[in-house]
Amino acid sequence: MTEQALFKGSERYIASPQLALAVNAAMHLQKPLLIKGEPGTGKTLLAEELAAALAAPLLRWQIKSTTKAQQGLYEYDAVSRLRDSQLGSDKVADIANYIKPGVLWRAFTADQRPVLLIDEIDKADIEFPNDLLHELDRMAFQVYETGELVEARQRPLVVITSNNEKELPDAFLRRCFFHYIEFPDAEQLKAIVDVHLPDIDQQLLDQALSAFFSVREFPDLKKKPSTSELIDWLRLLLAERVQAGQLALDEQALAELPLLGALIKTEQDQALLAQPLKRAMRSY
């Protein structure tokens, strides 16, 4: 597989050896790469950086709870055709005028092999992944209104992300190469921060990371802060000229961390962090 090892990360994206291996394995097998992990661990950015590294176009399909698989193939605008027929338009004679290609159609017919990102597939209905199986396997589909067969000129590199909000069907999983992005450890986070904030004071960074992990490890926290939220927090600390000593807090005082709203996004979690502090104040 050596000749297939095309992706090692980039200047903007620190990929672990395991993640780079997964990307290249999926490309070698010509299977969709299914990426899971906590929100903010770089799943979407991976597809963007893969496209940049390969100098390939990126086509993104952002999945919502209302998204249907058919929309990725094409949509037939029957309403516009009816309106045009009432107005006596010549367009009505050709039904192809009312067929709107979806992102899969554009990926299949692209002049250059694209990276196709199907982002947050777990947000859709449980049947959505199964509805895509046939098209992703055959790399072709039929336009029933016109009889046209749309076939892939070249197999796109498919990256599928999931936040684990719901389980995906076994039949779908069998057709993918899977990788779970583990949350970075302190050294990996330092490397990631160095990409975004290369001039940050190391003492401030060390104290910030210590406080950040203390927050993430706090019991019963509903939403743990992510890598992207850490970067935002560090940018704010620098903008406000916060000193390292202001972050040297123990668990009893995590609620007093400056600019905590960059890390903690719910009132329940902020109240939870304040509980040890309240207990300490009562005992005093």
Side-chain angles (χ1 to χ4, degrees):
M1 200 178 70
T2 305
E3 69 277 6
Q4 296 291 332
L6 302 175
F7 183 73
K8 298 180 181 178
S10 68
E11 291 183 358
R12 289 192 338 126
Y13 192 90
I14 306 299
S16 68
Q18 296 82 3
L19 176 57
L21 182 62
V23 171
N24 295 313
M27 288 194 290
H28 179 78
L29 295 172
Q30 297 191 48
K31 287 193 171 188
L33 174 63
L34 175 60
I35 296 290
K36 290 188 178 184
E38 289 184 31
T41 49
K43 300 185 295 297
T44 300
L45 185 58
L46 169 64
E48 296 172 0
E49 290 304 307
L50 176 60
L54 301 178
L58 174 68
L59 296 175
R60 177 171 178 171
W61 189 9
Q62 183 65 54
I63 306 303
K64 302 177 182 178
S65 60
T66 55
T67 303
K68 302 300 181 185
Q70 178 64 32
Q71 294 170 314
L73 306 181
Y74 66 91
E75 293 185 86
Y76 168 50
D77 192 350
V79 174
S80 291
R81 192 181 188 209
L82 175 61
R83 184 185 63 241
D84 287 347
S85 68
Q86 293 170 339
L87 296 175
S89 173
D90 293 338
K91 290 173 57 180
V92 176
D94 187 358
I95 196 171
N97 290 324
Y98 304 94
I99 302 294
K100 180 182 178 182
V103 65
L104 282 177
W105 187 329
R106 301 199 305 274
F108 286 179
T109 57
D111 293 330
Q112 182 183 353
R113 186 187 192 192
V115 174
L116 171 60
L117 170 61
I118 303 176
D119 208 10
E120 298 186 324
I121 194 172
D122 52 322
K123 287 190 179 299
D125 183 86
I126 189 62
E127 291 303 320
F128 177 87
N130 282 333
D131 291 342
L132 285 179
L133 288 180
H134 185 64
E135 286 74 19
L136 290 178
D137 269 350
R138 291 186 59 222
M139 285 287 151
F141 63 89
Q142 190 90 25
V143 182
Y144 296 108
E145 289 79 2
T146 65
E148 179 183 1
L149 177 64
V150 179
E151 295 182 286
R153 295 178 182 175
Q154 56 267 316
R155 183 177 287 268
L157 302 174
V158 182
V159 178
I160 303 170
T161 73
S162 169
N163 289 325
N164 254 350
E165 290 188 8
K166 61 171 67 81
E167 290 296 323
L168 298 173
D170 289 345
F172 183 81
L173 295 176
R174 284 197 298 270
R175 288 163 170 81
C176 299
F177 190 93
F178 171 75
H179 181 76
Y180 184 89
I181 299 181
E182 297 285 351
F183 194 84
D185 60 23
E187 289 305 312
Q188 290 172 320
L189 278 180
K190 282 187 177 182
I192 293 170
V193 170
D194 187 58
V195 170
H196 298 274
L197 302 168
D199 299 322
I200 192 170
D201 176 75
Q202 288 304 302
Q203 185 179 4
L204 175 64
L205 177 57
D206 288 342
Q207 292 288 4
L209 287 177
S210 177
F212 174 76
F213 278 110
S214 292
V215 171
R216 274 189 57 87
E217 294 163 7
F218 198 88
D220 302 322
L221 206 63
K222 184 177 181 180
K223 184 193 177 303
K224 297 180 179 181
S226 68
T227 305
S228 59
E229 288 162 333
L230 169 65
I231 301 298
D232 288 344
W233 186 48
L234 291 173
R235 285 198 173 105
L236 289 173
L237 295 179
L238 293 174
E240 295 297 320
R241 301 182 184 278
V242 173
Q243 301 300 308
Q246 295 175 254
L247 304 177
L249 304 175
D250 60 23
E251 187 182 281
Q252 298 295 328
L254 289 178
E256 293 186 336
L257 282 170
L259 302 162
L260 185 63
L263 299 178
I264 300 299
K265 302 301 178 66
T266 70
E267 62 273 24
Q268 294 91 343
D269 283 347
Q270 287 193 357
L272 190 65
L273 286 177
Q275 286 177 4
L277 179 61
K278 290 176 181 177
R279 286 198 297 268
M281 291 175 64
R282 284 199 299 268
S283 63
Y284 178 79

